[in-house]
Amino acid sequence: MYRVSTYSSTHPISPDFETLSDYTFEVANPVVIAVRAKEPSDFKFEIENYQELLNSVARTGSDRIESSEFNAGGHSWVLIMYPNGNKRENGTGNVSLYLKLVNKPAGGGAVFASFKFFLFDKVRETYITINDARERRFDAAHLEWGIARALPVAAFKDEKNGLLINNSCALGAEVYVIKNTATVARLSLIEKKTLRTFNWPVYDFSKLRNNTSSESFPVEGRSWKLRLYPKGNQTGQGKYLSLYLYLEDLADLTGGRKLYVECTLSIKDQISGNDHRQTVGVWYDFNNDNRGFDMFLPLAELNNPTKGYKHGDTLFIEATLNEMFTLEEIN
């Protein structure tokens, strides 16, 4: 009598690859073959009295051995072995290994998965892993995928390789189902429908002690402000004038929704017209309402009378929102 035993494992296994130099076989491209110490994490299929099983299968006119069902990735599968090769896919002379999805996906759908086969080396107590490194579409028209030339039959039977010892062997499988749970986000350009430039005169600049803000101004349905730190802020403290663009209404920027703005901030040179400007691309969301520059303009340049930045103790600041994009999840 022959005996087949199976078991499934729910424990994740991390690869522990070793060496292939001890083995006496090669496999056809594009199959990827390696060795690891850990057993398969999804399913193991042990076959005793292997030759008797082959003889019995052959008498029925079949050329394959099927395992019991096992679960992986929320689906039921069967591991299939063709001991002498799947002739229909040019596997003659090789051990062919296949994975079968038990239940047809509902509504004409499909299950996308990649998989890895295992052969237990009883001599070295390691596992040879075999896969073709491609994901497969399992659907009503194609419930089985596998590797027709996983391993030469002669190599499988060669006791030096440790795969068929004392008329018994052990196979295995890991299945990696690709879930259709991806978040889809779309970044869209906001068409220019309103004036996007705002001018802010700051009078009596030398009298400012703390930060000061402009009046609100609208751009593309949103309310904005400029904020100025005359003596600098954060990394610019004491050495730079700091300048920021604030977004006042953030209520709809939740759930991954963001606003991208390319903006140019400038201070007018009222003498030579050689304005100081900087352009930056910035993201706004519910937790980030201001973007700009800690080190916008060195105080030494600002106070240089030949520059004309605060001529008549007045600064003329300009903000232009060049481009605007919305980022939002659409599924």
Side-chain angles (χ1 to χ4, degrees), residues 11-52:
H11 301 289
I13 300 296
S14 59
D16 182 15
F17 292 110
E18 298 183 358
T19 178
L20 287 168
S21 60
D22 294 334
Y23 294 97
T24 62
F25 58 85
E26 295 181 357
V27 294
N29 289 330
V31 170
V32 178
I33 186 167
V35 178
R36 84 180 201 189
K38 303 298 183 181
E39 65 185 18
S41 62
D42 289 325
F43 185 67
K44 187 175 177 181
F45 182 31
E46 296 179 345
I47 303 174
E48 296 184 358
N49 304 102
Y50 177 79
Q51 189 58 52
E52 288 82 356

Side-chain angles (χ1 to χ4, degrees), residues 96-244:
S96 302
L97 298 173
Y98 285 77
L99 187 68
K100 178 182 178 181
L101 179 64
V102 175
N103 300 311
K104 295 180 181 180
V111 175
F112 293 88
S114 60
F115 46 86
K116 183 181 295 183
F117 297 116
F118 290 74
L119 295 170
F120 182 52
D121 176 353
K122 296 185 178 184
V123 173
R124 300 164 188 82
E125 295 188 345
T126 55
Y127 287 87
I128 297 174
T129 67
I130 306 171
N131 70 84
D132 66 359
R134 291 172 288 187
E135 72 177 48
R136 297 298 190 179
R137 177 189 172 100
F138 293 81
D139 56 25
H142 211 140
L143 291 171
E144 293 182 18
W145 286 100
I147 303 173
R149 293 181 289 170
L151 192 73
V153 172
F156 179 73
K157 293 182 176 181
D158 188 343
E159 290 194 356
K160 291 193 295 292
N161 291 323
L163 305 177
L164 184 61
I165 300 291
N166 296 327
N167 202 24
S168 66
C169 63
L171 318 175
E174 288 181 352
V175 185
Y176 313 96
V177 175
I178 302 167
K179 302 288 188 180
N180 187 23
T181 56
T183 298
V184 180
R186 177 179 295 160
L187 187 62
S188 304
L189 176 69
I190 299 175
E191 295 184 10
K192 293 183 180 180
K193 297 180 180 179
T194 62
L195 182 67
R196 292 188 175 182
T197 298
F198 172 72
N199 290 287
W200 178 30
V202 181
Y203 301 110
D204 299 322
F205 177 79
S206 61
K207 296 181 181 179
L208 296 177
R209 293 293 177 265
N210 301 311
N211 69 79
T212 185
S213 297
S214 72
E215 62 181 358
S216 300
F217 61 95
V219 173
E220 306 300 352
R222 295 183 180 275
S223 181
W224 305 82
K225 276 186 177 182
L226 290 173
R227 183 166 295 172
L228 170 70
Y229 289 77
K231 303 298 183 182
N233 182 45
Q234 296 183 8
T235 59
Q237 182 72 44
K239 294 184 178 181
Y240 289 84
L241 177 144
S242 301
L243 185 60
Y244 306 93

Side-chain angles (χ1 to χ4, degrees), residues 60 68 85 94 107 112 127 136 145 148 210 233 251 269 289 310 326:
T60 67
S68 60
N94 294 270
F112 293 88
Y127 287 87
R136 297 298 190 179
W145 286 100
N210 301 311
N233 182 45
D269 183 334
D289 63 351
K310 61 174 188 177
T326 56

Side-chain angles (χ1 to χ4, degrees), residues 186-188 224 245 247 250 253 256-263 280-292 324-328:
R186 177 179 295 160
L187 187 62
S188 304
W224 305 82
L245 177 66
L247 174 59
L250 301 168
L253 296 183
R257 196 163 191 261
K258 296 183 179 183
L259 183 68
Y260 175 81
V261 178
E262 177 201 318
C263 65
V280 65
V282 292
W283 289 97
Y284 294 88
D285 59 31
F286 190 77
N287 297 310
N288 296 281
D289 63 351
N290 76 91
R291 290 289 188 268
M324 299 175 66
F325 292 80
T326 56
L327 175 67
E328 56 187 334

